[in-house]
Amino acid sequence: MSPIVTFLIGSAILLMLLFYIGTVVHKSKRLIGTALIFLMTAFAVITFRNMGIPLGIDLKGGSEFVVELQKGKTSEGAVKDVTTESVQQAIGILEKRLNPEGTKDLTMQPQGTDRILVQMPGVKAEEFAEVRTKIQQVAHLEFRIVHESSQSKLAEIKANGGVKEPGWEEFKYKAEKDKEGKELPNRGSELARNRPDMEGKYVASAFANTDAEGWKVYLNLDSEGSKLFDDIASVNKGRQLAVIVDGEIISAPTLQTDHFGGTAVISGNFNQQSAFQLATLLENPLENPMKILSESSVSASYGESSINQGKWVGIAGLAMTTLFMLAIYRLAGLIAIVGLVINLAILFGGMALFQFTLTMPGIAGIVLTIGMAVDANVLIYERLREEMEAGRTLAGALEAAYDKAFSAIADSNITTLISAIILFVISGGLVKGFAITLMMGLVSSMIGALIVTRVIFMWVIDKGILTKVSSTKIISDRIFDILAKAPTFIIASLVVTAISFATLAYKGGASFGIDFRGGGLVHVELKEGKNIADADLDALLKGLKLDNGQPIGSYYPQRKGNATGGDVIAIRTEFDAGPTIEQAIKGKFADAIQGSQTERVGAVIGTESAKTSLIALAVALVFIFFYLLIRYEFAFALGAVVALGHDVLMVPGLCVLFGQELSLIHVGAMLTIAGYSINDTIVVFDRIRETIQRGGSGSIRDLMNEAICKTLSRTLLTGPTALAPMIVLLFLGNPAMLEFAVPITIGVILGTYSSIFIASPLVLWYATKTGQSLKRKVLDTHEQAQKAAAAVAAAKTV
């Protein structure tokens, strides 16, 4: 779809939306709303089919690296600092190294002043190690003359206890492998000059070629380099010249002539791949070395399995929500599900239009959206039932229900949106994908609840299809003295909070996953019906060694069930050991393995992630507090934020208690909990204010009890609708989805509980302790709002 067509359709949608909001004529609102729904849905479906949604590496397979540029050295030996130009140069060089033909889906972008994010979707598992090597390879080329009596001098140095020969330095030969990949015998070392005779910066181009002697790398020198090389050859004809790359000798050929004409040849035991790789590196040397701070690699089969699981989880979540809504609200429930389906269509269409990447946590965000989208409908339906019980007609009750529910729906979604935006801005990687789907889901669910279902209701009521709304009342309309029980529940909360904090203190560093403390994590998904015995796995891991010959260090295997496929073995280990373990397991148990995923996070990244997470939570709480302070009285804002903190702070310890390690995904979950918790609290507070503004008799305590009981039915209904998809994730999701499901399940339960038994009692307690009349404050605010509205209306009339 062309940009012009997209712009025109988008403009038409926006114009129709403004007409829909602005018109008060019932028939016009119904017709414009219908046209708006059809246009949005058709546009979303067509956009999704034509453009599709990009998949992240965790779903498509591939690799992701965060690399840091280190300080380098110039040819004169001076320190070369990392600059913006250095980062851009490194990006250009990596582009040539990793994507020489320009055919790969490669994305690179700067992060901060000295880091680069490298993403390569679709990279095959066997290419991961090669990509890692290409990224870290500096390719500092030097030419040094070899000592005429190199081997005898080395033996003499060894005999003298390592006393060095002045002006000379020992360099080892680079390890070589044969065509089958087996390492050849070590070629030892040579004694070469301690200063380069010529630097590799004079190489104009490099290429690989083969002849009867095998593969070779040819270097074309620039004019200055050509003269320097011939000068060296003329003085040292008949001597060996060591070709040194990154401190290792590639070859040390004898200078057979004193004139080379600007071309040098590097011979060695090359195969085609190694020859081309060396030529690429020498043509594109990095002046600033790179260090991999974190990496993630996912096999295509593991990603495909995640997509299939995501589909089933989404379908199961939608099915459970449908059954629940039909059981409680009958035909009105069916209308809500139609709105939810259109909501999902708009969500997917929006992600396709803006080409937002879908990740595994993003799938969890979509599943959560299913539960949260129904929340607005439940709120409206409960209002509708109350209005009809008060004697209104169905049409009149519907208008009143939407009008009265709008404030709570808007406030709760805006506060959740605040959490999602902060999560998007501060976080990175896969968690950002969750934030994107959460933001898109909030917007589309507002459209689904406030426009789609309302227009459908207009049609079925106007045409006589629906004459009454039947629903199952799960709790009676009695007024309970809930606030009288507040001390008991607050004590219970303090006990659970103490247990949560004690768990974190007892576990200490073991509470945190690799995202925060650094290390490696390998996920190996087994084929259905296949198994790897613990003893066999342990025997393999015990004997493993890194490339440098050192043991792999500590490792902690853990088995995780997977309802939609084979089990997953998760192995947490040291940073350097992740790739080694993955390759060893795939080599030993190839027949049993469906796919794999490897993550490595350096200690630097882990420390930064911990700090960033704390900042994200603090900023979210501050922004939500100030928003509530603008919309509500101080007592309400304080009660809401304290209850929110209660929910968020209890979750980490409880997750650890249930066997999880805290990760960045838990940060995303906690910010989502903050949004959900405040959502539920706002609904209760909105009803408390409405009850006070209505001018009911009795004390502020009686009025608050009445308001809480009025929302109790809605609260007990929305909790299960949000929990249903999370329960599906608990039983059907893979380990990454499970990381979201556990904290959010805990958070939904806590959020439902705290809005009634923590937030509201705190409001009453604060008003009592400060001696303020909360009732008077609410009425004054309401009176000021009415005067402001009257002034605006008068100005419009004039």
Side-chain angles (χ1 to χ4, degrees):
M1 193 175 293
S2 71
I4 295 176
V5 173
T6 300
F7 173 76
L8 292 174
I9 294 176
S11 300
I13 289 174
L14 182 60
L15 191 62
M16 292 172 69
L17 181 60
L18 292 174
F19 272 119
Y20 175 83
I21 295 171
T23 184
V24 293
V25 180
H26 180 83
K27 187 175 181 181
S28 298
K29 200 175 193 74
R30 188 184 70 186
L31 293 175
I32 293 170
T34 304
L36 177 62
I37 293 167
F38 275 107
L39 183 58
M40 284 192 299
T41 307
F43 181 52
V45 171
I46 292 170
T47 303
F48 175 73
R49 291 187 61 182
N50 290 344
M51 300 180 68
I53 300 176
L55 300 178
I57 62 167
D58 57 337
L59 296 178
K60 187 178 181 180
S63 59
E64 177 181 279
F65 299 87
V66 175
V67 296
E68 181 182 57
L69 268 67
Q70 311 284 299
K71 290 183 178 181
K73 285 188 178 181
T74 64
S75 56
E76 290 78 26
V79 174
K80 178 175 173 56
D81 291 324
V82 179
T83 63
T84 305
E85 291 74 22
S86 305
V87 173
Q88 293 302 324
Q89 180 207 39
I91 289 176
I93 289 170
L94 287 177
E95 175 75 36
K96 292 177 183 177
R97 286 187 182 182
L98 301 175
N99 194 19
E101 289 140 12
T103 57
K104 293 181 179 177
D105 184 9
L106 173 65
T107 302
M108 285 186 289
Q109 53 189 354
Q111 284 195 334
T113 57
D114 59 354
R115 293 179 188 174
I116 302 171
L117 174 67
V118 183
Q119 293 179 313
M120 297 185 70
V123 174
K124 295 179 181 176
E126 55 269 21
E127 297 177 313
F128 293 154
E130 183 185 343
V131 170
R132 190 183 300 114
T133 301
K134 285 180 179 179
I135 288 174
Q136 294 186 111
Q137 188 75 54
V138 177
H140 180 209
L141 172 65
E142 300 172 329
F143 299 92
R144 301 186 189 222
I145 291 295
V146 176
H147 197 287
E148 288 179 309
S149 306
S150 174
Q151 297 304 314
S152 61
K153 279 291 180 183
L154 285 173
E156 187 179 319
I157 290 170
K158 187 176 181 181
N160 292 336
V163 179
K164 293 184 178 180
E165 181 77 6
W168 301 88
E169 186 178 349
E170 182 179 3
F171 291 89
K172 293 182 179 180
Y173 278 94
K174 182 177 176 63
E176 293 181 342
K177 296 180 180 179
D178 61 18
K179 293 179 180 179
E180 284 77 34
K182 294 180 181 177
E183 198 162 300
L184 294 171
N186 195 303
R187 292 185 289 164
S189 56
E190 299 284 1
L191 195 65
R193 283 186 179 156
N194 63 354
R195 291 178 63 88
D197 289 273
M198 194 176 91
E199 291 279 357
K201 66 180 181 179
Y202 300 106
V203 175
S205 63
F207 64 93
N209 207 347
T210 185
D211 57 21
E213 296 178 1
W215 282 95
K216 298 177 181 178
V217 176
Y218 292 80
L219 305 177
N220 289 324
L221 307 173
D222 60 20
S223 57
E224 188 179 353
S226 177
K227 183 178 181 303
L228 277 173
F229 200 85
D230 284 348
D231 288 346
I232 294 169
S234 64
V235 176
N236 297 284
K237 182 180 177 182
R239 296 181 67 176
Q240 284 180 285
L241 179 68
V243 181
I244 301 173
V245 177
D246 294 339
E248 294 182 310
I249 299 175
I250 301 297
S251 64
T254 301
L255 295 169
Q256 302 288 355
T257 179
D258 57 6
H259 182 73
F260 286 84
T263 301
V265 181
I266 302 176
S267 58
N269 193 30
F270 294 123
N271 56 29
Q272 182 178 0
Q273 182 181 355
S274 60
F276 272 97
Q277 182 176 333
L278 180 60
T280 302
L281 293 173
L282 294 180
E283 194 173 30
N284 303 290
L286 280 165
E287 295 182 17
N288 292 91
M290 282 190 179
K291 179 183 179 182
I292 294 177
L293 297 181
S294 70
E295 70 174 60
S296 176
S297 59
V298 184
S299 66
S301 54
Y302 190 87
E304 185 180 352
S305 173
S306 298
I307 294 173
N308 291 334
Q309 289 176 29
K311 289 177 181 176
W312 282 111
V313 167
I315 291 170
L318 185 59
M320 287 183 69
T321 304
T322 301
L323 291 173
F324 179 81
M325 291 300 289
L326 289 176
I328 300 296
Y329 295 111
R330 283 76 165 186
L331 182 57
L334 181 62
I335 292 173
I337 296 303
V338 172
L340 176 59
V341 171
I342 293 175
N343 162 20
L344 291 174
I346 294 171
L347 169 60
F348 285 116
M351 291 191 68
L353 177 64
F354 296 107
Q355 288 295 281
F356 290 142
T357 301
L358 180 63
T359 61
M360 202 182 309
I363 293 176
I366 292 170
V367 174
L368 179 62
T369 298
I370 294 173
M372 293 182 72
V374 178
D375 180 62
N377 289 113
V378 171
L379 183 60
I380 292 166
Y381 288 176
E382 288 301 298
R383 284 284 193 174
L384 178 62
R385 181 176 59 80
E386 290 176 20
E387 295 297 326
M388 291 192 69
E389 287 176 353
R392 286 180 179 264
T393 63
L394 181 55
L398 185 68
E399 290 297 318
Y402 274 96
D403 289 342
K404 290 183 178 180
F406 178 78
S407 174
I409 292 172
D411 283 339
S412 58
N413 277 274
I414 288 171
T415 49
T416 307
L417 192 61
I418 289 172
S419 298
I421 290 172
I422 290 170
L423 188 60
F424 176 80
V425 172
I426 295 180
S427 68
L430 300 180
V431 180
K432 187 165 285 191
F434 174 73
I436 288 170
T437 53
L438 188 59
M439 285 190 289
M440 295 291 296
L442 286 169
V443 174
S444 60
S445 63
M446 287 279 284
I447 294 171
L450 297 177
I451 297 178
V452 177
T453 56
R454 188 169 188 174
V455 170
I456 296 174
F457 267 119
M458 286 180 182
W459 279 103
V460 295
I461 293 173
D462 291 350
K463 300 300 179 183
I465 299 172
L466 184 68
T467 56
K468 66 175 183 176
V469 174
S470 301
S471 64
T472 301
K473 188 182 292 186
I474 63 172
I475 193 167
S476 68
D477 290 332
R478 287 176 54 201
I479 306 298
F480 304 98
D481 191 2
I482 290 175
L483 293 174
K485 306 293 183 183
T488 303
F489 288 108
I490 289 174
I491 291 170
S493 289
L494 291 173
V495 170
V496 177
T497 303
I499 292 171
S500 174
F501 280 28
T503 303
L504 289 175
Y506 176 75
K507 290 271 189 176
S511 303
F512 301 97
I514 65 168
D515 287 351
F516 295 131
R517 59 175 172 169
L521 183 64
V522 180
H523 279 131
V524 178
E525 184 180 16
L526 305 180
K527 293 178 181 176
E528 199 164 356
K530 295 287 186 177
N531 186 36
I532 298 175
D534 290 339
D536 293 339
L537 181 64
D538 191 54
L540 173 67
L541 298 180
K542 271 185 180 176
L544 282 184
K545 295 191 179 204
L546 303 173
D547 292 339
N548 60 10
Q550 295 296 316
I552 62 169
S554 57
Y555 56 88
Y556 307 93
Q558 182 182 6
R559 293 181 183 268
K560 300 182 179 182
N562 187 358
T564 58
D567 287 347
V568 174
I569 300 176
I571 304 168
R572 182 167 54 79
T573 182
E574 307 299 329
F575 180 83
D576 292 327
T580 303
I581 288 176
E582 181 188 19
Q583 292 303 316
I585 293 176
K586 288 167 74 174
K588 175 79 172 176
F589 307 107
D591 293 341
I593 294 174
Q594 175 73 27
S596 62
Q597 176 181 5
T598 301
E599 298 174 62
R600 297 200 300 165
V601 178
V604 173
I605 292 286
T607 303
E608 289 179 359
S609 298
K611 291 179 181 176
T612 303
S613 303
L614 291 173
I615 291 171
L617 285 169
V619 171
L621 288 173
V622 169
F623 269 82
I624 289 172
F625 176 74
F626 278 109
Y627 177 80
L628 293 175
L629 203 56
I630 294 169
R631 293 284 294 136
Y632 292 82
E633 288 70 30
F634 181 83
F636 287 111
L638 180 65
V641 171
V642 172
L644 189 154
H646 157 276
D647 299 341
V648 170
L649 293 176
M650 285 176 68
V651 167
L654 293 177
C655 287
V656 172
L657 186 65
F658 293 140
Q660 288 196 315
E661 291 181 346
L662 301 180
S663 67
L664 282 176
I665 287 179
H666 285 82
V667 177
M670 284 190 284
L671 283 172
T672 305
I673 291 164
Y676 181 85
S677 173
I678 209 72
N679 180 327
D680 213 44
T681 303
I682 282 173
V683 172
V684 176
F685 283 1
D686 192 69
R687 182 56 73 93
I688 291 173
R689 288 204 312 176
E690 182 188 324
T691 304
I692 294 172
Q693 290 164 3
R694 194 187 63 225
S697 59
S699 67
I700 186 66
R701 181 194 185 100
D702 294 335
L703 293 175
M704 288 181 70
N705 269 323
E706 179 188 342
I708 293 169
C709 291
K710 285 287 185 182
T711 60
L712 198 57
S713 179
R714 171 262 163 202
T715 301
L716 296 178
L717 284 171
T718 54
T721 58
L723 276 176
M726 290 301 103
I727 291 171
V728 173
L729 277 179
L730 283 174
F731 289 99
L732 296 181
N734 64 14
M737 293 182 186
L738 197 65
E739 280 191 88
F740 268 111
V742 171
I744 290 179
T745 300
I746 295 170
V748 168
I749 294 170
L750 288 175
T752 303
Y753 156 82
S754 69
S755 62
I756 300 171
F757 300 111
I758 302 295
S760 298
L762 282 173
V763 173
L764 181 61
W765 173 84
Y766 178 82
T768 304
K769 287 295 180 185
T770 57
Q772 296 179 352
S773 173
L774 184 62
K775 189 174 182 181
R776 185 69 263 159
K777 278 184 168 291
V778 171
L779 291 173
D780 287 345
T781 303
H782 181 58
E783 187 178 339
Q784 290 171 9
Q786 285 183 321
K787 287 179 179 178
V792 171
K796 285 183 178 179
T797 305
V798 173

